[in-house]
Amino acid sequence: MKVLVIGGGAREHALCRSLSLDPDVNALYCAPGNAGIAEVAELRPVDALDGDAVARLAGELGADLVVVGPEAPLVAGVGDAVREAGIPVFGPSAAAARLEGSKAFAKDVMAAAGVPTARSYVCATPDEVDEALDAFGPPYVVKDDGLAAGKGVVVTDDLATARAHALACDRVVIEEFLDGPEVSLFAITDGVTVLPLQPAQDFKRALDGDEGPNTGGMGAYSPLPWADPKLVDEVMELVLQPTVDELRRRGTPFSGLLYAGLALTGRGTRVIEFNARFGDPETQVVLARLRTPLAGVLLNAANGTLDAGSPLAWSDEAAVTVVIASHNYPETPRTGDPIEGLAEVAEQDGPDAYVLHAGTRSEGDAVLSAGGRVLSVTATGTDLAQAREKAYKAVARIRLDGSQHRTDIAAKAAEGR
């Protein structure tokens, strides 16, 4: 089949890498893509937020499947435009993508479906903000109701910081703090059948020891040796299937990738948030362990035939991803710096370690930084300790002036802590 992937980050590079390894895929395109994706897919220019333009491109390419990677095009209705053109698309409708596009909408769905989550208030005025902050006390959890590229959430003990973030947003959700480790669990769904993937854990804070500001994610690992073996079944029963059933009941069935961000609290599993697409950087480690060819699974979800497929096959190996970010990320990252060492990783560390591009662009033979998160260095190994070792060995070969990365991705899990 011919597949068109929409997006240009490390998540899309991971998707394109997996699709390029699928024997059923004989043509792979990505729009707009990036310097790394160009090595495994043919790039096409497109405005990813323009549904008509995406549908037109898919028609011109004769695409059998369109995979929409980022959240903004989904919330903007790109999936709807492609579906209306008669082309199968992996990604929810704009109505269903509100599950990520509006935190308040997600809370409403969870309440109706009986899904366990944090107590919360939706606030639109300074008085409502002050009342909610006072009701919960520190640590304060303040979430921009809309999309914020992974940087709309502030968790802080400082009341002034929490209040300032809340007042900078049109509408916010203020909720109780959930203790306990966090887990990301993806599920592929056609709106009826739900197929869970393997859980992963990501690292949101910019600095080692979970210090510093929240980011879009600085690394991830899978599997989770410390997690209850029944976790996936429990989340399927309590969270994923009820949510999919509720959205279908409302007449807005969710077809695509449903991402549950979870907190394993002392009072049980609670949903922190939903996303309507593959998460970044968790996708990098989850797909590194997936053995089932990806294209057929995504096409079955798009066509409503997910129940016809076989169970997913997984590698017993572990995977670790370390994000290399630009100078001053996540504030105002510097871009345009040359990236060196990519060929060395490919020659000396492959195939167990490889680089997925996030914010890069080509300029002649050079590859330059073009975003906050620049690269995701991903490695697999027999266990987390070996995967970590391979990942950081590859990271050490990368040279990007002023770059930063965390040195403790998966460290505690690898040590059995």
Side-chain angles (χ1 to χ4, degrees), residues 71 100-101 103 143-153 165 169 216:
E71 60 273 25
E100 177 170 5
K103 302 291 190 300
K143 300 180 176 181
D144 191 331
D145 180 53
L147 296 180
K151 295 182 278 291
V153 179
H165 180 66
C169 306

Side-chain angles (χ1 to χ4, degrees), residues 141-236:
V141 181
V142 184
K143 300 180 176 181
D144 191 331
D145 180 53
L147 296 180
K151 295 182 278 291
V153 179
V154 165
V155 181
T156 179
D157 287 321
D158 184 71
L159 178 60
T161 300
R163 190 172 189 274
H165 180 66
L167 297 181
C169 306
D170 289 335
R171 189 165 75 150
V172 293
V173 172
I174 295 176
E175 62 184 38
E176 67 175 328
F177 176 76
L178 297 175
D179 63 335
E182 295 184 11
V183 174
S184 300
L185 184 61
F186 302 162
I188 293 170
T189 178
D190 58 7
V192 178
T193 301
V194 181
L195 191 64
L197 306 186
Q198 290 289 299
Q201 186 173 63
D202 78 331
F203 295 75
K204 289 295 186 190
R205 297 286 187 169
L207 306 176
D208 284 3
D210 292 326
E211 299 289 336
N214 265 355
T215 71
M218 295 299 291
Y221 69 93
S222 180
L224 312 181
W226 48 266
D228 189 324
K230 298 176 183 176
L231 176 64
V232 173
D233 291 339
E234 176 191 328
V235 175
M236 271 288 291

Side-chain angles (χ1 to χ4, degrees), residues 34-36 38-39 43 336-339 342 357 360-369:
N34 63 37
E39 297 177 7
L43 302 190
D337 290 313
I339 303 166
L342 298 172
H357 292 229
T360 68
R361 63 180 176 87
S362 297
E363 190 173 284
D365 293 333
V367 176
L368 307 180
S369 62

Side-chain angles (χ1 to χ4, degrees), residues 11-317:
R11 163 186 46 230
E12 288 76 36
H13 194 173
L15 286 164
C16 285
R17 180 181 182 274
S18 290
L19 290 165
S20 73
L21 299 173
D22 188 330
D24 288 336
V25 175
N26 60 357
L28 180 60
Y29 306 92
C30 187
N34 63 37
I37 295 174
E39 297 177 7
V40 293
E42 197 172 314
L43 302 190
R44 288 287 192 273
V46 79
D47 178 353
L49 296 176
D50 186 335
D52 291 338
V54 172
R56 205 161 42 242
L57 175 62
E60 292 169 0
L61 296 174
D64 301 297
L65 174 67
V66 175
V67 180
V68 183
E71 60 273 25
L74 292 168
V75 172
V78 168
D80 300 277
V82 176
R83 260 185 289 269
E84 287 168 9
I87 302 169
V89 58
F90 182 80
S93 66
R98 285 188 68 206
L99 202 61
E100 177 170 5
S102 169
K103 302 291 190 300
F105 176 75
K107 288 290 187 181
D108 184 61
V109 170
M110 283 187 272
V115 170
T117 186
R119 293 180 298 120
S120 64
Y121 295 101
V122 180
C123 306
T125 69
D127 285 346
E128 290 173 347
V129 166
D130 290 338
E131 288 176 19
L133 292 172
D134 184 59
F136 287 128
Y140 303 102
V141 181
V142 184
K143 300 180 176 181
D144 191 331
D145 180 53
L147 296 180
K151 295 182 278 291
V153 179
V154 165
V155 181
T156 179
D157 287 321
D158 184 71
L159 178 60
T161 300
R163 190 172 189 274
H165 180 66
L167 297 181
C169 306
D170 289 335
R171 189 165 75 150
V172 293
V173 172
I174 295 176
E175 62 184 38
E176 67 175 328
F177 176 76
L178 297 175
D179 63 335
E182 295 184 11
V183 174
S184 300
L185 184 61
F186 302 162
I188 293 170
T189 178
D190 58 7
V192 178
T193 301
V194 181
L195 191 64
L197 306 186
Q198 290 289 299
Q201 186 173 63
D202 78 331
F203 295 75
K204 289 295 186 190
R205 297 286 187 169
L207 306 176
D208 284 3
D210 292 326
E211 299 289 336
N214 265 355
T215 71
M218 295 299 291
Y221 69 93
S222 180
L224 312 181
W226 48 266
D228 189 324
K230 298 176 183 176
L231 176 64
V232 173
D233 291 339
E234 176 191 328
V235 175
M236 271 288 291
E237 179 184 350
L238 296 178
V239 176
L240 297 172
Q241 192 70 59
T243 300
V244 168
D245 292 345
E246 172 62 20
L247 286 167
R248 187 175 67 254
R249 187 192 67 78
R250 293 177 177 221
T252 54
F254 189 106
S255 170
L257 194 289
L258 179 58
Y259 165 138
L262 309 163
L264 309 186
T265 77
R267 294 171 291 134
T269 301
R270 299 286 186 271
V271 174
I272 301 171
E273 65 176 355
F274 282 124
N275 290 334
R277 39 70 193 182
F278 280 101
D280 180 351
E282 299 97 322
T283 300
Q284 289 86 302
V285 291
V286 172
L287 292 186
R289 300 184 56 226
L290 180 64
R291 289 294 168 261
T292 301
L294 184 61
V297 181
L298 302 187
L299 184 62
N300 283 342
N303 286 335
T305 56
L306 201 54
D307 61 343
S310 303
L312 297 178
W314 297 92
S315 165
D316 291 332
E317 288 192 318

